[in-house]
Amino acid sequence: MNGNIAVRLANVSRAFGTTAAVNGISLDIAKGEIVSLVGHSGCGKSTLLRIISGVETVDSGRVFLDGGEVDGATFVEPEARGVGFVFQDYALFPHLDVRDNILFGLKRRPKAEAAALADDIIDRIGLRHLADRFSHTLSGGEQQRVALARALAPRPAVILMDEPFSNLDQGLRDRVRDDTLSLLRSLDATAIMVTHDPQEALSVGDRVVLMRSGEIVQAGSPYDLHDRPENAYAAEFFCAFNKVPGQWRDGKFETILGSFAVSPGAQATGSATLYIRPRDISVSLDGGDMLARISERVFYGETEQLVLFVEGLETPLRAVVSERLPTGTAEVRISIRPERLAVF
């Protein structure tokens, strides 16, 4: 096994009754890599996290951590795996102060070593001023930092995070997430984060693993999954596309909006659907390939969404523009940017 691999899942499956929560998943995670596990509720991502931690056991397949097998032919108890876990509700002990919450995760270490590790992580995460406070007196963001500190203090081989920011308000969530990511990178930590939020998955992960029905739909860099989806499910998970019907002809995809050279081109035949991102519709008052009528405008501050009717197209198009059109504009010219189109 490659010495740079922190986590290896080899054809791992786990069922509950007749439901396959995880079905034949194989995945390698490198040391120092941050991976986002993303998908809708019930797709198996949290079960996969629990398998890695040892809370759930596999029905088949094998799990390796830092080169050693921990489930499959042999089983290693959760507390002996060198895994840190940050729960969605943080799971802090209300009767313990911050320092003792962190020390709880170090109870298997000699007392002097535990104290030194706790002090180190308290300083790294900036919790010194909170060390003597009880957890129930802390804000949501402070509780999240304490939970992360407790998971990181033993210097685990991998940190597992299950929806760690979902209990925070949006503005605080963004700041705490950025701080957490910065800390994990400064420690060169290996981390797996479960989320159902597409934007969070793309912004956090060095690699994103999209799951559905217990299986991996697509895995790759955030840019791969957003810009180069391999199927309709992956495309629609990360973006609200415009979908336009059409036909393959002579290696191009023909629609009422025009003919487009889209991969796989010459290998494709028959009917399919063109997927167009709202930002890939260029809008202008005078230059463009076709006329469109504005039926609705929704202002978001930095951007504006336009609902556009094009003659011959049954479903209106949605375009997102950064430059504001004059008040009262009823018609515009539009063009489709061809670089990131997809056909499924």
Side-chain angles (χ1 to χ4, degrees):
M1 182 170 172
N2 187 331
N4 193 44
I5 300 299
V7 180
R8 169 162 290 174
L9 305 173
N11 201 29
V12 167
S13 295
R14 178 73 166 106
F16 299 103
T18 59
T19 302
V22 173
N23 185 25
I25 284 183
S26 294
L27 180 68
D28 283 355
I29 296 172
K31 292 180 180 178
E33 187 177 22
I34 298 175
V35 171
S36 298
L37 280 181
V38 65
H40 296 301
S41 296
C43 71
K45 55 190 187 295
S46 290
T47 299
L48 200 59
L49 220 61
R50 290 164 67 86
I51 286 172
I52 295 169
S53 71
V55 176
E56 297 285 352
T57 57
V58 300
D59 294 329
S60 61
R62 304 172 76 186
V63 180
F64 299 87
L65 295 178
D66 205 17
E69 187 171 11
V70 296
D71 200 355
T74 186
F75 181 78
V76 175
E77 294 294 334
E79 59 270 20
R81 291 193 177 192
V83 169
F85 210 121
V86 179
F87 297 91
Q88 184 175 0
D89 62 358
Y90 310 139
L92 300 176
F93 298 107
H95 63 288
L96 299 179
D97 62 23
V98 167
R99 182 187 302 278
D100 285 340
N101 262 284
I102 295 171
L103 283 168
F104 184 85
L106 295 162
K107 61 184 180 180
R108 296 166 64 91
R109 304 290 183 95
K111 190 172 182 179
E113 181 186 352
L117 288 170
D119 282 339
D120 178 65
I121 202 66
I122 283 171
D123 288 336
R124 283 176 179 266
I125 297 188
L127 295 173
R128 180 64 60 187
H129 64 297
L130 301 174
D132 298 324
R133 294 262 302 271
F134 288 95
S135 62
H136 69 274
T137 69
L138 304 178
S139 69
E142 289 168 342
Q143 289 183 35
Q144 198 276 343
R145 287 162 62 200
V146 174
L148 180 64
R150 185 177 62 185
L152 285 169
R155 309 283 175 84
V158 60
I159 293 288
L160 308 177
M161 300 185 290
D162 194 356
E163 302 275 6
F165 313 112
S166 61
N167 291 333
L168 304 176
D169 294 335
Q170 183 61 52
L172 181 60
R173 182 186 309 152
D174 292 344
R175 180 166 61 81
V176 172
R177 183 173 60 224
D178 290 346
D179 290 347
T180 299
L181 191 62
S182 177
L183 177 67
L184 292 172
R185 295 202 187 286
S186 72
L187 296 173
D188 200 26
T190 305
I192 305 172
M193 187 190 75
V194 159
T195 179
H196 66 276
D197 184 332
Q199 302 310 313
E200 185 168 82
L202 294 173
S203 65
V204 169
D206 299 317
R207 192 154 44 116
V208 179
V209 178
L210 174 62
M211 294 183 63
R212 177 180 58 176
S213 302
E215 298 179 351
I216 294 175
V217 175
Q218 185 176 346
S221 74
Y223 298 101
D224 287 335
L225 271 78
H226 184 272
D227 295 347
R228 295 173 287 278
E230 295 176 357
N231 50 58
Y233 183 84
E236 294 183 49
F237 188 87
F238 292 103
C239 182
F241 280 81
N242 296 288
K243 291 181 278 188
V244 178
Q247 295 270 345
W248 287 105
R249 186 170 288 113
D250 298 328
K252 290 190 174 183
F253 193 72
E254 294 189 355
T255 74
I256 198 166
L257 300 178
S259 180
F260 302 95
V262 185
S263 179
Q267 288 76 39
T269 58
S271 301
T273 302
L274 181 68
Y275 280 61
I276 308 168
R277 291 177 176 82
R279 277 193 172 277
D280 289 336
I281 298 176
S282 173
V283 177
S284 171
L285 292 176
D286 45 23
D289 297 331
M290 67 201 82
L291 187 68
R293 177 171 53 86
I294 299 175
S295 68
E296 186 180 349
R297 297 173 66 165
V298 183
F299 183 55
Y300 292 108
E302 295 296 324
T303 61
E304 187 172 31
Q305 179 178 266
L306 308 178
V307 180
L308 304 168
F309 281 91
V310 176
E311 185 176 353
L313 195 62
E314 291 185 10
T315 304
L317 300 174
R318 294 180 183 272
V320 173
V321 297
S322 299
E323 293 193 13
R324 200 175 307 175
L325 296 171
T327 302
T329 301
E331 291 185 340
V332 290
R333 303 288 301 182
I334 66 170
S335 300
I336 308 300
R337 301 186 185 97
E339 294 86 4
R340 296 190 303 165
L341 299 176
V343 174
F344 300 113

